[in-house]
Amino acid sequence: MSATTTRPTDTPAPAAPVQVAPPTGGAPEEVAPGLTIARRPDGVAVLRLDVPGEPVNTLKPDFAPAFGQALDRLERDGRVRAVVLASGKPDSFVAGADIDMLAKVTRPEEGADLSRQGQRVMDRIAASPKPFVAAIHGACLGGGLELALACHGRVASDARKTKLGLPEVMLGLLPGAGGTQRLPALVGVQAALDLMLTGRQLDGRRAKKLGLVCEVVPPPIVLEVACARALALADAGRAPGPGPARSLFSREGLTEAALAGNPLGRRVLFQKAREALLAKSQGNYPAPEKILDVVRTGLAQGQRAGLEAEAQAFGALCVSPEARALISIYHATQALKKDNGTGDPSVVARPVTKVGVLGAGLMGSGVAAVTCDGAGLHVRLKDRDPKAVGHGLAKVRGGLDQKVKRRRMTALDRDQVWGRVSGTTTYAGFQGCEVVIEAVFEDLGLKHKMIADVEAACPPTTIFASNTSSIPIGKLAAASKRPAQVIGMHYFSPVEKMPLLEVIVHDRTAPEVTATCVALGKQQGKTVIVVRDGPGFYTTRILAPYMNEAAWLLAEGVAVDALDRALVQFGFPVGPITLMDEVGIDVGEKVGKILLEAFGARFTPPAGIEKLIADGRLGRKNGRGFYRYDPPAAGDGKKKKAQGEGTKPVDESVYALLGVKPTRREPDEAWAWRCTLMLVNEAVRCFEEGILRSARDGDVGAIFGLGFPPFRGGPFRLVDALGAAEVVRRLDALARAHGPRFEPAALLRSMAAAGQSFHGASAVAPRALATPGGPAGA
């Protein structure tokens, strides 16, 4: 605890009786724009934050001085016995600090000073002789949770939209207003580290179980319960002591005492935490390591030292390239939420109430799941026979049951969602579908038949969307009587987990069709980019040369597992060979042929890949690929789970099949750069040709669709970070060493000569899309 804290923050204590207060005493007093004090006759003052002109509250640059003024008035006012912090927004408490404010920080000292300003406000709240209670409904994240942590009690609503967490690590930062010190003091070091290192968010019920909030109540009575608790604290003259969630004699309490309560235990705890962290981050993200250091400082040297360490670390992280890259991705995703995909804000999406899905396999059932659950729409799932339909429906139901099991959904909610899904082997029930999404095999003739069937069974306004990953949408639309209604909606597997949706427009796609599919994707919970039609579109096209270069490295004698480790260390979630096994070697070969035919020699694969197909190696799906997928022996399950992913053995026989001898078995960063620069070069060509509307979309698509390292900001941010001239130099050197497939895109050469970038003041302008469905965007 801080030396300045006279009232310890509480852990859950028995709820005070809820008493509805009499009418408030007079009109609220404005302290500053968006910050008011309403004094009630019962002695409670409601300090309400309502940032003008914003949909949610964020902590702006004037937060510290405005709150300082409010605290001055509340402390001097003898009528006020207790204070409740509340929001003037209907469905949000405080969503965090204003990220634009952080983007203006240019020196570590500026960031550290911002942190200290926030800390001083939180310290004043925590040290106040008058109890403060936070009334939380909606998002309580980042600085918003730090504000609540400084209070002496917290009451949260049980609404699904109420979320509590410290997600700063997702932006390459750490909590900078005392959160690294107060959260461990309240919920314990292990639980606090889990929340801060993952950015995980809790609903009210989970927050109460952890000890983060005192009570969870329905939204209409959050304020009154918070006022009752504040008065109870004032009557008691002190905050409650440790509650049952932190009892010393509980298993959690004993573990906390053993690990965090003594120097030897702390050393073991932080050593294990750092090992696990580095295994996951590969040392590419400085923020999680700073969080460990700062929390450890506070435990070892006291809260005041911990707060100063927090401020110093916050300042350093604010100007780090990793934070800049992650914040840029945040801004990009926020901008995409407001983008209808056409470049014309006047285009209105059509209303959608029911979606048809053709194909009940892995992709089709996944699309059905995100549509009935995430989007809350009715779904009609069709396949060729009852067995296939039943399998797809069972997968949807299984996902819902898992949510109930993990307490992410109530049984009642599951039943309501499940009631929105139905299956069929005919087109009965498709008449009411505004959108039909096909997810059948990559066969042009089959997809043409689907289009004809849908046009015969559905109204003329029904949109036909294809989930193809490689067939040009224009070729599909050629078989349609209504080509303006045909569009691509490329989902990524597994659909329920992968965040990206790539919408593909061809030359005749109608703008309202584009806007409708973009809106549907957002309802499904996806981050949506719109790209122009072409072989491989954007994501498949840029992934192919990346994978192809990995194959060339194998042909040069690089070991399978060493190559995968090199790309994981570089920042990708999995290596390219593991990815090839997961996607399917046969699928990769088929797509590769399409792109080789379209773009020529730079997509030429090394000799030998066809031998894998001839040998029946399709990857994980048939248990034969570059890796072995041996069934686990009895008792091996827990052992392999403990070892983590990536421990499956390489099938050494694959080397003889390919006619190579693996002589390079230690990861080399140069391999990662070869693969990555091939991807980047192709991404620039997509920008150059107008496949992409913007560099923003290209960065988002690569990160959310392909796992491009987020801390590098995406392919276009990477070019900007290195400089176009340096990228050209590296590609030229690789071309001399390995051949013309590394020839830099023409746009890169012109940018290098002109000193241009993809973002910022010297940004090169994107080529306008030559389609009515999607003109150039931001």
Side-chain angles (χ1 to χ4, degrees):
M1 291 293 171
S2 167
T4 63
T5 302
T6 59
R7 180 188 300 275
T9 53
D10 75 332
T11 51
V18 178
Q19 298 178 349
V20 178
T24 57
E29 171 191 352
E30 183 176 77
V31 180
L35 187 63
T36 59
I37 298 172
R39 295 172 177 81
R40 295 161 48 117
D42 59 6
V44 176
V46 178
L47 181 58
R48 197 180 301 273
L49 180 64
D50 189 356
V51 177
E54 300 287 348
V56 299
N57 289 322
T58 57
L59 303 183
K60 302 282 188 180
D62 60 355
F63 158 73
F67 258 71
Q69 293 177 41
L71 294 175
D72 288 341
R73 298 185 192 187
L74 291 168
E75 288 171 0
R76 290 196 302 262
D77 193 335
R79 298 168 296 171
V80 174
R81 301 181 59 221
V83 181
V84 168
L85 287 180
S87 169
K89 305 298 182 186
D91 293 314
S92 171
F93 181 67
V94 179
D98 179 11
I99 295 177
D100 289 335
M101 171 181 69
L102 303 181
K104 295 176 182 177
V105 174
T106 58
R107 296 182 298 112
E109 296 80 9
E110 295 174 22
D113 188 55
L114 271 179
S115 175
R116 294 187 190 101
Q117 290 178 37
Q119 289 174 353
R120 284 193 288 269
V121 173
M122 307 308 175
D123 283 349
R124 283 194 65 182
I125 293 172
S128 172
K130 299 178 180 182
F132 277 68
V133 174
I136 301 166
H137 173 62
C140 178
L141 303 172
L145 182 55
E146 290 181 287
L147 185 61
L149 286 170
C151 295
H152 311 109
R154 287 151 294 281
V155 176
S157 83
D158 59 7
R160 292 181 66 177
K161 61 188 63 176
T162 292
K163 298 293 181 184
L164 298 92
L166 294 174
E168 287 89 345
V169 71
M170 309 299 288
L171 298 176
L173 303 171
L174 52 65
T180 64
Q181 306 304 302
R182 291 192 172 89
L183 186 62
L186 183 63
V187 303
V189 175
Q190 293 183 90
L193 287 178
D194 175 63
L195 290 176
M196 288 188 283
L197 293 176
T198 65
R200 189 162 61 95
Q201 299 175 16
L202 306 175
D203 59 19
R205 182 188 57 78
R206 288 175 178 266
K208 184 175 186 298
K209 183 178 180 181
L210 192 65
L212 186 53
V213 301
C214 317
E215 297 179 69
V216 179
V217 299
I221 63 171
V222 168
L223 182 61
E224 291 304 327
V225 173
C227 289
R229 176 163 286 273
L231 285 173
L233 291 175
D235 290 340
R238 61 179 179 84
R246 293 289 309 283
S247 170
L248 177 61
F249 300 104
S250 68
R251 183 175 64 181
E252 294 84 358
L254 290 170
T255 302
E256 184 73 15
L259 288 177
N262 67 84
L264 179 59
R266 283 199 296 272
R267 186 162 66 246
V268 171
L269 171 63
F270 283 93
Q271 179 181 343
K272 294 296 183 185
R274 191 174 297 275
E275 289 173 358
L277 172 65
L278 292 176
K280 185 175 181 180
S281 73
Q282 303 295 320
N284 289 319
Y285 295 86
E289 296 183 62
K290 293 284 190 183
I291 289 172
L292 287 178
D293 293 339
V294 168
V295 173
R296 187 170 188 174
T297 297
L299 288 174
Q301 302 176 34
Q303 191 185 75
R304 182 50 51 197
L307 289 171
E308 180 54 27
E310 177 186 89
Q312 294 283 352
F314 183 82
L317 290 172
C318 273
V319 297
S320 68
E322 294 83 4
R324 295 297 193 204
L326 293 169
I327 288 173
S328 76
I329 294 302
Y330 169 81
H331 281 308
T333 56
Q334 293 302 111
L336 283 168
K337 289 179 181 179
K338 305 171 185 176
D339 187 349
N340 68 6
T342 71
D344 181 358
S346 69
V347 176
V348 178
R350 301 173 187 171
V352 176
T353 59
K354 186 177 182 181
V355 175
V357 178
L358 305 179
L362 180 67
M363 296 300 293
S365 59
V367 172
V370 298
T371 305
C372 68
D373 186 10
L377 302 176
H378 289 275
V379 180
R380 189 73 163 158
L381 183 62
K382 179 187 179 299
D383 213 313
R384 63 183 181 276
D385 56 57
K387 182 178 179 181
V389 174
H391 180 79
L393 290 173
K395 188 172 181 299
V396 175
R397 175 64 187 229
L400 296 175
D401 288 342
Q402 278 296 312
K403 284 192 171 184
V404 174
K405 183 177 179 180
R406 295 173 181 171
R407 299 186 178 183
R408 303 290 174 85
M409 173 185 280
T410 67
L412 177 60
D413 287 340
R414 174 201 58 198
D415 294 343
Q416 290 176 339
V417 173
W418 180 240
R420 294 194 282 264
V421 189
S422 62
T424 180
T425 58
T426 71
Y427 282 93
F430 271 68
Q431 292 79 8
C433 295
E434 294 91 356
V435 179
V436 174
I437 302 171
E438 70 83 5
V440 301
F441 298 116
E442 290 287 83
D443 181 275
L444 183 60
L446 177 60
K447 292 178 188 289
H448 279 169
K449 183 178 185 303
M450 298 293 101
I451 291 175
D453 290 347
V454 168
E455 290 183 343
C458 299
T461 55
T462 297
I463 296 169
F464 184 92
S466 174
N467 182 50
T468 180
S469 61
S470 58
I471 300 175
I473 303 303
K475 287 188 176 182
L476 297 179
S480 172
K481 297 177 182 177
R482 299 183 284 271
Q485 305 286 104
V486 178
I487 196 168
M489 292 181 74
H490 178 206
Y491 295 86
F492 296 76
S493 182
V495 179
E496 298 91 333
K497 295 181 179 179
M498 293 296 286
L500 187 73
L501 171 62
E502 186 179 30
V503 170
I504 306 103
V505 298
H506 65 96
D507 289 347
R508 299 173 67 184
T509 303
E512 65 269 18
V513 169
T514 302
T516 301
C517 292
V518 168
L520 174 58
K522 292 176 185 177
Q523 284 183 272
Q524 293 169 333
K526 302 300 181 183
T527 297
V528 186
I529 63 169
V530 176
V531 303
R532 196 183 75 179
D533 192 19
F537 319 130
Y538 172 62
T539 54
T540 301
R541 178 174 165 183
I542 69 170
L543 179 64
Y546 167 87
M547 301 287 277
N548 205 40
E549 196 58 30
W552 278 104
L553 283 160
L554 289 183
E556 294 172 16
V558 173
V560 166
D561 50 347
L563 179 55
D564 273 350
R565 288 200 307 274
L567 270 300
V568 170
Q569 290 170 5
F570 192 77
F572 285 88
V574 298
I577 309 304
T578 294
L579 182 60
M580 204 178 298
D581 264 8
E582 293 292 336
V583 170
I585 298 170
D586 56 328
V587 174
E589 186 206 31
K590 185 174 182 179
V591 172
K593 286 181 177 178
I594 293 172
L595 296 177
L596 175 61
E597 181 181 350
F599 300 112
R602 71 176 185 269
F603 280 82
T604 302
I609 297 298
E610 68 282 353
K611 296 177 183 177
L612 298 174
I613 307 297
D615 191 49
R617 293 175 185 263
L618 306 182
R620 179 184 284 276
K621 60 187 172 187
N622 76 335
R624 299 190 69 228
F626 290 94
Y627 288 93
R628 284 169 33 202
Y629 299 92
D630 306 329
D636 278 358
K638 291 183 178 179
K639 179 180 178 182
K640 288 191 175 183
K641 186 174 182 181
Q643 290 174 337
E645 294 296 326
T647 58
K648 55 188 178 296
V650 174
D651 186 342
E652 296 287 334
S653 66
V654 77
Y655 297 121
L657 191 64
L658 293 173
V660 300
K661 184 177 181 180
T663 57
R664 302 157 75 182
R665 293 187 174 273
E666 289 301 319
D668 187 337
E669 189 181 20
W671 308 338
W673 278 110
R674 274 179 61 176
C675 294
T676 301
L677 286 174
M678 287 295 285
L679 182 155
V680 169
N681 203 25
E682 201 63 35
V684 173
R685 288 192 174 98
C686 289
F687 182 94
E688 185 177 28
E689 296 167 15
I691 295 294
L692 288 169
R693 300 187 303 146
S694 66
R696 174 202 70 188
D697 291 4
D699 287 334
V700 169
I703 289 172
F704 289 94
L706 306 178
F708 192 93
F711 75 94
R712 298 185 188 275
F716 298 97
R717 291 279 178 189
L718 180 60
V719 171
D720 288 354
L722 293 173
E726 173 61 15
V727 175
V728 167
R729 187 194 68 76
R730 294 188 186 194
L731 286 169
D732 280 338
L734 288 168
R736 289 191 296 272
H738 302 289
R741 65 181 182 273
F742 283 98
E743 171 63 27
L747 179 61
L748 274 177
R749 289 199 184 280
S750 65
M751 289 174 63
Q756 291 178 300
S757 61
F758 285 107
H759 300 276
S762 60
V764 62
R767 172 184 164 187
L769 293 185
T771 68

